[in-house]
Amino acid sequence: MTHPDWAEAITIAARAGASTLQPTAAQPLPACLGRVLAHTVTAGRAIPHFDSSAMDGFAVSGPPPWQLEASTASGADAHAASGARPLAAGWARPILTGGAVPAGTTSIVRCEHAEVMGADAAGQTVLRLRADAPATDLAPARNIRRAGQETRAGEVLLEGGRVLSPADLAYTAVAGLDALPVRRRPRVALLMTGDEVITAGQPAPGQVRDTFGPALPGLVAGLGGDVIDVRRIADDAQETRVALYEALAAADVVLTTGGTGHSDADHVRRESARLASELLFPELAMRPGHPTTFAQLGGHPGAWHVGLPGNPLAAMTAMRVVVEPLLCGMLGKPLRAARSVEVAVEVRPVRVSTLMPARQREGNRWEPCDARGANMLRGLTEADGFLTVPTAGLRAGEQAQVLDLPWPQR
Ligand SMILES: Nc1nc2c(c(=O)[nH]1)N[C@H]1C(S)=C(S)[C@@H](COP(=O)(O)OP(=O)(O)OC[C@H]3O[C@@H](n4cnc5c(N)ncnc54)[C@H](O)[C@@H]3O)O[C@H]1N2
Ligand code: MOO
């Protein structure tokens, strides 16, 4: 079996994910934040849905002065009442911001630009434009928010596949919807191996602090997964087998960390193979992260298993090129494409196509971070993305591809 490079891994994982596209359910708007919209939603009617005033003031009909109607409504009804009856020529009517504009209105004069005078000879209250009011106040349709100005009935409100933002939810509410169809979040179980790994305090020589427990659950949630289980398992064949089996029954995606090697202490590869209905790849032609395995366990749909390598940076590159596209596919979300950038410095040839944590300098010029060994994290904390380095290396000034990090950036 050939070993995919990073670009092929993204394609394979995304296609696999799409074959288990998650079901859709309507959710109330506040529960939709960060969820993936399952399909495109259109406006059932125009936004705004009626002509309304943009200012507190007066609806006027024709040139000043006007005869001012007595205010007929206040409180809860005031916004609707202002538009209930047509406005006759030569008349003005009090109106609130957001109030319905009566038929016959030529413009809205804001209250600070108008002056209520005493009664005229006929006993009518008169409204005048103040001497210092700008002439634009009387421009046709001044301060009127027209129905349909923002969105026409039948127009697309939001495209399917997008991750819903606070603005999207607010806009949907304006359109009068109470719920949106969102994809179920893939259930993700996280199994972490490594007898030498401790989860608190200072590790002794031969021990290492767990880097995955603090980082991966949030990372998976940010990619749209629902982390249903986080478990540490011993470097033991039987325990690995039972844990994989149980996870496969409960989850859509099983992520393991470590144990992908071929030593007596590594059991993930063998136990995954026992449960696998399909091996998509046993490893990658990419560093760090080359031991990453990807399989489907327990038939279709069963569960996807991604065996992340134990080296912390290797696991992060695998998250970017396998887990992120897998979840995108399952959620019906578009992939984030690699970006073309200019390389600021020479990068020497490498044995296997390599993902290097890299920083963006002035302009779109990029350079690799230091401390970018597979076991290291410092470079990644300083990185703006992964620079993809082909085996031939890169010359200063050459174009190269950068992958965004699998989390929101500064
Ligand atoms: N003979 C070979 N040895 C190794 C090879 C190889 O090709 N032949 N590949 C190296 C590469 S590259 C990687 S990556 C690792 C993959 O190892 P495993 O997936 O089997 O992971 P472990 O052996 O369990 O651990 C590797 C390394 O990572 C540390 N680790 C594990 N879990 C954690 C954790 N939760 N937090 C922090 N660090 C962790 C572990 O202590 C080891 O140092 O294999 C290489 N060896
Ligand atoms: O390729 Mo390893 O995965 O260098 O860390």
Side-chain angles (χ1 to χ4, degrees):
M1 184 178 267
T2 59
H3 299 163
D5 63 14
W6 62 266
E8 292 161 341
I10 289 173
T11 305
I12 292 169
R15 194 179 299 146
S19 76
T20 56
L21 185 64
Q22 296 297 286
T24 296
Q27 289 289 336
L29 298 186
C32 291
L33 185 65
R35 303 291 297 269
V36 177
L37 183 63
H39 51 76
T40 297
V41 183
T42 52
R45 60 180 185 175
I47 303 175
H49 59 287
F50 64 101
D51 290 352
S52 65
S53 172
M55 295 289 168
D56 296 324
F58 303 92
V60 299
S61 185
W66 306 277
Q67 302 188 62
L68 180 61
E69 291 183 1
S71 193
T72 48
S74 59
D77 292 339
H79 288 81
S82 55
R85 293 169 293 107
L87 185 64
W91 284 80
R93 180 181 303 162
I95 193 164
L96 296 170
T97 302
V101 174
T105 301
T106 50
S107 58
I108 305 285
V109 175
R110 57 170 87 185
C111 45
E112 58 271 37
H113 292 172
E115 224 170 353
V116 180
M117 311 305 290
D120 63 7
Q124 256 303 320
T125 307
V126 171
L127 183 76
R128 275 207 325 221
L129 204 57
R130 288 178 64 101
D132 55 358
T136 48
D137 267 8
L138 297 177
R142 181 74 177 162
N143 295 327
I144 296 177
R145 308 187 292 209
R146 287 288 180 210
Q149 216 170 40
E150 188 173 350
T151 307
R152 294 183 309 277
E155 236 185 300
V156 168
L157 277 182
L158 298 169
E159 296 277 358
R162 67 190 281 146
V163 176
L164 292 162
S165 72
D168 294 343
L169 303 183
Y171 182 45
T172 308
V174 167
L177 301 185
D178 303 312
L180 281 172
V182 292
R183 293 274 168 212
R184 189 180 74 188
R185 278 185 303 218
R187 293 161 298 197
V188 180
L190 192 54
L191 306 177
M192 296 179 289
T193 72
D195 290 345
E196 76 287 13
V197 176
I198 64 164
T199 54
Q202 294 292 341
Q207 291 185 322
V208 64
R209 262 298 291 274
D210 173 30
T211 63
F212 297 130
L216 291 191
L219 172 47
V220 168
L223 294 174
D226 176 16
V227 180
I228 57 165
D229 196 14
V230 180
R231 229 191 283 182
R232 298 208 43 81
I233 55 174
D235 291 328
D236 172 80
Q238 174 76 12
E239 196 168 329
T240 306
R241 187 179 317 160
V242 171
L244 277 177
Y245 188 77
E246 286 176 359
L248 142 71
D252 305 302
V253 177
V254 183
L255 301 182
T256 55
T257 64
T260 62
H262 300 272
S263 79
D264 292 346
D266 296 317
H267 305 283
V268 165
R269 201 171 279 282
R270 225 171 4 250
E271 297 308 328
S272 175
R274 283 178 193 271
L275 297 170
S277 37
E278 186 187 356
L279 178 62
L280 288 100
F281 51 77
E283 51 185 80
L284 294 174
M286 170 185 98
R287 278 195 174 259
H290 86 88
T292 308
T293 69
F294 182 34
Q296 188 166 46
L297 308 184
H300 195 88
W304 299 108
H305 172 222
V306 182
L308 301 167
N311 275 332
L313 181 59
M316 291 299 189
T317 58
M319 286 298 296
R320 176 60 181 90
V321 304
V322 184
V323 179
E324 178 180 321
L326 173 66
L327 292 176
C328 279
M330 297 175 85
L331 286 162
K333 199 168 116 179
L335 294 173
R336 294 184 304 155
R339 291 183 281 143
S340 272
V341 305
E342 187 186 323
V343 185
V345 295
E346 183 191 340
V347 184
R348 285 212 296 267
V350 283
R351 271 200 307 121
V352 185
S353 159
T354 297
L355 262 55
M356 293 184 183
R359 300 177 73 166
Q360 182 174 10
R361 295 295 181 202
E362 58 300 329
N364 198 19
R365 291 162 57 78
W366 287 64
E367 68 181 30
C369 301
D370 299 331
R372 52 174 191 264
N375 58 322
M376 298 179 185
L377 289 167
R378 201 187 85 208
L380 190 57
T381 65
E382 297 165 352
D384 299 309
F386 289 117
L387 178 68
T388 66
V389 180
T391 49
L394 294 163
R395 295 185 310 277
E398 197 179 342
Q399 292 287 302
Q401 305 245 280
V402 158
L403 292 171
D404 291 324
L405 300 175
W407 50 76
Q409 284 170 256
R410 310 183 278 269

